[in-house]
Amino acid sequence: MSDTHCTRIFLFSHLRTRSNLFMRLLETHPRVTDRVYPFKDAFMNGPECQNALSTKKGRARAVGKSMEEFEETFANTTFQAGLDAMEKTIIQAESEGKIAVIKEHTCFMLDSKTLNRNVCCHREEKPRPVIVDHQLDTQTRKDKENGVPHVNCTEIPLPNPTLLPSRLITTLQPVIIIRHPSYTFPSALRASSSYGANVFDPDFAIIATFRWQRLVFDFYREYCEREHKIYSGRGYWPIVVDGDKLINNTKDQMSKICEMVGLEEAGIRYTWDPHYVKRNAVWDAFTKVAEESTGVIKSSESIRPPNMVEARKKWENEWDKDVAQKLVEFVELAMDDYNYLLRHSI
C-alpha cells in the first residue's frame, strides 16, 4: 500500500463503539469489499480460545449447546483459518479493483500474555496461537519486472503487538474507533450478560479498557516515524474515529474518512435495507439493533457529555452499588487511554 493508493483498510474496533454503524456505512460503497470478525470466534470459542473456560461454557449455554456440541461446532475455527480468510478477502477485493475493509475487535487479535500484562486482575495464561502467514493476499500480484509474486518480507523495526503477521500489518491502513468509556462499558456489560458474563469476571476486564487501541496506535505511529511515512492525508498513519462524532455528524465524518483513504464520499449511502437474520441470543445482543436499522439511529446519550454522578445512579438502579462502583473504576482507569486517542481523532 502506498501513501496515495489505499487498497486495504483494517478497523481496529472495540465493543459498543458504533463500529457496526461504521461498517454499515462503508459497505454501501460500491468499491468496498468487507469482512467482519475473522478472529472473534477463534478467540472466544475455538480450540485456541484465549478466554477463560467459564466464559466459553457460558456462551455454549446461551446458544443451547452442550460443551461437546459447542466444541465440535468450532473445532476448525482457528486463528489460522481467520487469517487465511482475511487474506483471501484482500486479494479478491484487489483483483476486482476494490478496497478491502476488515473489522475486528482489537482485543481478539492479542494473545493472553499481552492481555494479562495490561489488566489489573488475574487471568489464566493460554498458549499463543500458532499462525503461519501463507501470504494469500499476494498470490495474484506479480512483480512488473520479472513476473513473480512480489512479497515484502522486510522485518519491521519494532515489536508487533498483535497476532497479525508483521509482513501483513504494515500493508494495512489502520482505522481505530473509540467511544467514551462511560457509554461503552455498561453497553458491553448489557450485551455480554447474554452469555452470563458479569463485571467482576477477569474476561470483562479486557473489554473494559482502551489499552489495546492505544497499543496499536502507538505501534503504527512509531512505525511511520521510523520509516519516514509521514501522514499526508492517506497512508499508514492511524485514523482515529470517535463513535459519537460518527453518529452525530455522520456525513462530515464519512467525508473526512473517504478523503483520507481515497474513496469517493458520493458512493456512501446513509439509508439502507435491514438485513437482520436471527442466529442466537448472543449474536442478537450485540448486533440486532444495527442489523434491523435502516439508517443512523441517534440517541440523546451520544450528544451530551457524560455526567458520572448521574451515570453511577443509573447503574445502581440497573444493577446494584457494587456493579456501579466497578464500572466507575473501569471508566476512571480507561480515561487516560481514551483521552489520548480522542486527541488524535478526526
Side-chain angles (χ1 to χ4, degrees):
M1 183 187 70
S2 71
D3 285 345
T4 58
H5 184 58
C6 170
T7 62
R8 43 183 76 176
I9 297 169
F10 198 101
L11 177 61
F12 291 90
S13 60
H14 190 85
L15 291 79
R16 324 312 286 170
T17 53
R18 315 293 193 191
S19 62
N20 287 328
L21 170 63
F22 183 84
M23 291 299 293
R24 199 76 175 92
L25 290 161
L26 277 182
E27 71 184 19
T28 67
H29 199 289
R31 285 186 55 213
V32 165
T33 297
D34 69 296
R35 177 176 287 274
V36 297
Y37 305 127
F39 304 107
K40 177 176 70 69
D41 278 330
F43 183 98
M44 299 198 75
N45 305 324
E48 303 160 307
C49 175
Q50 301 291 293
N51 270 155
L53 179 60
S54 58
T55 301
K56 195 172 184 179
K57 288 180 176 179
R59 292 175 69 83
R61 285 193 299 270
V63 298
K65 291 181 180 289
S66 68
M67 274 303 291
E68 292 76 13
E69 293 170 327
F70 197 74
E71 297 279 12
E72 183 178 353
T73 298
F74 294 101
N76 298 315
T77 307
T78 62
F79 284 88
Q80 183 69 61
L83 175 64
D84 290 347
M86 171 184 163
E87 291 185 344
K88 287 177 181 178
T89 297
I90 290 172
I91 199 63
Q92 175 193 342
E94 292 178 345
S95 67
E96 297 172 354
K98 295 184 177 182
I99 293 178
V101 181
I102 314 294
K103 167 195 167 179
E104 185 57 270
H105 293 326
T106 313
C107 59
F108 298 154
M109 295 183 293
L110 307 177
D111 63 14
S112 69
K113 184 176 181 179
T114 301
L115 295 169
N116 297 355
R117 193 167 56 234
N118 286 279
V119 293
C120 298
C121 63
H122 174 73
R123 296 182 74 253
E124 178 187 356
E125 187 165 315
K126 301 292 187 73
R128 181 182 173 92
V130 177
I131 303 175
V132 176
D133 183 9
H134 294 142
Q135 301 179 353
L136 301 178
D137 59 311
T138 68
Q139 283 191 348
T140 61
R141 184 180 302 159
K142 302 293 182 180
D143 186 284
K144 292 182 179 179
E145 293 183 0
N146 55 28
V148 298
H150 175 71
V151 179
N152 177 13
C153 295
T154 304
E155 290 294 324
I156 59 176
L158 67 161
N160 172 2
T162 77
L163 291 169
L164 291 174
S166 295
R167 190 276 316 172
L168 179 64
I169 199 170
T170 59
T171 72
L172 305 174
Q173 165 62 66
V175 179
I176 297 168
I177 188 165
I178 59 172
R179 190 182 177 210
H180 198 286
S182 69
Y183 298 144
T184 307
F185 300 166
S187 180
L189 179 59
R190 293 181 195 106
S192 58
S193 66
S194 62
Y195 56 87
N198 69 69
V199 76
F200 303 105
D201 291 340
D203 285 339
F204 188 79
I206 68 173
I207 62 176
T209 177
F210 283 104
R211 177 54 50 87
W212 324 125
Q213 286 71 23
R214 183 167 181 170
L215 288 177
V216 168
F217 180 90
D218 286 343
F219 163 79
Y220 274 108
R221 182 178 65 168
E222 186 173 353
Y223 174 75
C224 293
E225 290 173 349
R226 290 194 186 195
E227 298 298 297
H228 305 293
K229 299 182 184 297
I230 305 302
Y231 175 70
S232 59
R234 300 179 195 168
Y236 294 80
W237 193 268
I239 299 168
V240 180
V241 178
D242 174 11
D244 284 326
K245 288 182 186 176
L246 179 65
I247 203 170
N248 292 323
N249 301 292
T250 309
K251 190 174 179 63
D252 175 68
Q253 288 284 291
M254 293 308 297
S255 294
K256 290 178 181 178
I257 291 164
C258 287
E259 181 180 1
M260 296 172 86
V261 302
L263 277 172
E264 306 80 15
E265 188 271 335
I268 300 289
R269 291 190 288 111
Y270 295 94
T271 59
W272 47 77
D273 294 328
H275 64 174
Y276 171 68
V277 177
K278 185 173 179 58
R279 295 178 179 86
N280 56 63
V282 176
W283 187 270
D284 281 359
F286 284 94
T287 66
K288 185 178 181 182
V289 172
E291 291 184 348
E292 288 183 332
S293 70
T294 58
V296 179
I297 303 172
K298 296 185 182 294
S299 67
S300 58
E301 178 183 82
S302 65
I303 61 177
R304 64 173 186 267
N307 180 311
M308 289 307 299
V309 174
E310 293 179 2
R312 182 195 285 265
K313 290 179 181 178
K314 178 181 177 181
W315 300 337
E316 288 178 355
N317 291 333
E318 184 172 356
W319 291 289
D320 58 41
K321 288 187 177 181
D322 291 337
V323 171
Q325 176 58 34
K326 191 64 177 178
L327 283 171
V328 169
E329 290 173 8
F330 277 132
V331 170
E332 291 174 345
L333 285 171
M335 287 306 297
D336 182 63
D337 292 332
Y338 168 76
N339 284 325
Y340 174 82
L341 293 165
L342 185 64
R343 289 195 295 271
H344 296 281
S345 64
I346 60 174

